[in-house]
Amino acid sequence: MIVGIDLGTTNSLIAVFRDGRPQLIPNALGDFSTPSAVALDETGKLIVGLAARERAATDPGRSAQAFKRWMGSDRTVTLGDRKFRAEELSALVLQWLKADAEAFLGEPVTEAVITVPAYFNEAQRRATRTAGELAGLKVERLLNEPTAAGLAYGLQDRPDNSTFLVFDLGGGTFDVSVLEYFDGVVEVRASAGDTRLGGEDFAHAAGKLFLERCTGLSPAERERLLQDPTLWWRAAEQAKRDLSERDQTVMGLMLDGRRLELELTRADLETATAELLQRLRRPIERALQDAQLSPTALDEVVLVGGATRMPMIRQLITRLFQRLPLRTIDPDQAIAQGAAVQAGLKARDAALEEVVLTDVMPFSLGVISSQQIGQQRVGDRFSPIIERNTPVPVSRMNRYVTVSDNQSHVELDIRQGESPVGSDNLHLGKLEIELPPLPAGQAEVEVRFTYDANGLLEVDVRDVQRGRTASTLIRNTATEMSEAQIEQALARLRMLKRHPRDEEENRYLIERAKRLYEDRLGAEREAIQHWLSQFEQVLDTQDGRAIRQARVQMREALDSVDGGFRF
Ligand code: AMP
């Protein structure tokens, strides 16, 4: 059986083409979405999905998330005392999905169509194939995510020359692609985006409104909340989602056993995010320009990604394109559904061809710098010089000034990646230049990055005062796993012990209770502790019926504390 898989940065989904239509497959918890999160528990056993995401809050040193960002690099993540490459972590997620599909379909699943971002380069694509192989799946095809969304919406059934614009606003990234269909071939004609713009920014804006307006906060508490967004992001996320359904909501959060509340309207959120909305326009304009199409020439605009549920997004699209966008498919599910459509076509030997746009810069390239925020200087910031998705060849320049008096030199630390934290990005090289002694902020360097179609990056730095220059050449070395490494990884992954599938919900409830225990104080904390002990006692009895009952009670009890939202 061939399945379609959306292997996402935050969530992954698996679907199959059956009875003439794509069907999503639920996981062991009954959800269609499985968080792309992996953790090892205290006994070294593997946890994947929602339980791993919960665990990441209480045990970050043994958990990994968002590893899709490292595909195609040799960066490893350490869980406990083991190191994993992104391919291996992705393989664990794929294995989990495969097991869900096998349980659901009652037959082995051996082949898959897996989706990848349109801007993934060769190394990232090969890494995705390797992940499939490590999970025991033959990767029949890698499909571009926007193309998958287009297939879910029936682009392949349209007349020749039909064009779709796919607007994908996820949790942390924004992608726009223009697709064209002609004679059985889908072409990604242009793609643009913003790797630092997503649904999370809108939740963040709701949180900031809370800090500004909530009257029950002391200055010290406000400062604490300002410093530690983990204290309020769930409440902000919930408020944002509520405002997609209603005109107003109450954003509430617990702080030291006290409940704080603020009434928020949809209009409040829209005003606070006007600038974010504005930033969505540029990539749209760029994609249309690159595809040489006017907004009205497009046949359809398709919305995917959970954040397109916000009414303001639909209004923006309607205004910009003078028409209603297509959004009949759940925006979280469109890509997986499209992958299943491709799997269905494949099974019937009628697969669609795809022309991939590859002449874009797949990663952001930049240097580590520090940033002045008020009186404070924050180090280890990533300062991108060439942003991801820029068409190549490209040459861009930034200027930097010294941070200390009489600074004798600058050492550029050249990095590739999308994290705002400089050292989280892949190190590519170093380049040093000497500077004349001057007060801080007065000695200036110009840094120019030139990237060509062969993946060669040339970095030039010039001391503006004296005109001296230094330069270096960096070859984009794709870091693929060798056959031997794949064999070793297969053996290592096989050794990892996992909990039985039917115990997955128990695991999730335990991890969630632990996370809530850390979050809360006082009476709530005691109650959570009590429920957890009770639940673990019942689990020890190994009495199936009693466990099922206890599970329902535990879920209800935890829902009463955090409102039952799963993010
Ligand atoms: P994705 O990466 O496509 O799963 O998108 C996840 C993003 O969608 C997150 O930022 C969520 O907060 C956002 N999202 C999900 N549901 C809603 C909703 N009802 N209203 C607003 N944003 C949502």
Side-chain angles (χ1 to χ4, degrees), residues 342-372:
Q342 178 67 273
L345 290 168
K346 196 99 201 164
R348 291 204 314 272
D349 255 359
L352 212 85
E353 286 309 314
E354 209 191 1
V355 178
V356 186
L357 157 131
T358 47
D359 55 350
V360 290
M361 175 66 223
F363 314 100
S364 298
L365 292 171
V367 295
I368 297 188
S369 71
S370 56
Q371 209 177 16
Q372 192 77 31

Side-chain angles (χ1 to χ4, degrees), residues 3 16-17 38 43 48 122 213 240 263 308 314 328 353 512-513:
V3 290
V16 64
F17 199 83
V38 174
T43 62
V48 174
E122 272 311 299
R213 297 192 186 166
K240 176 189 74 175
E263 244 181 57
T308 59
R314 302 202 294 269
T328 44
E353 286 309 314
R512 182 171 157 210

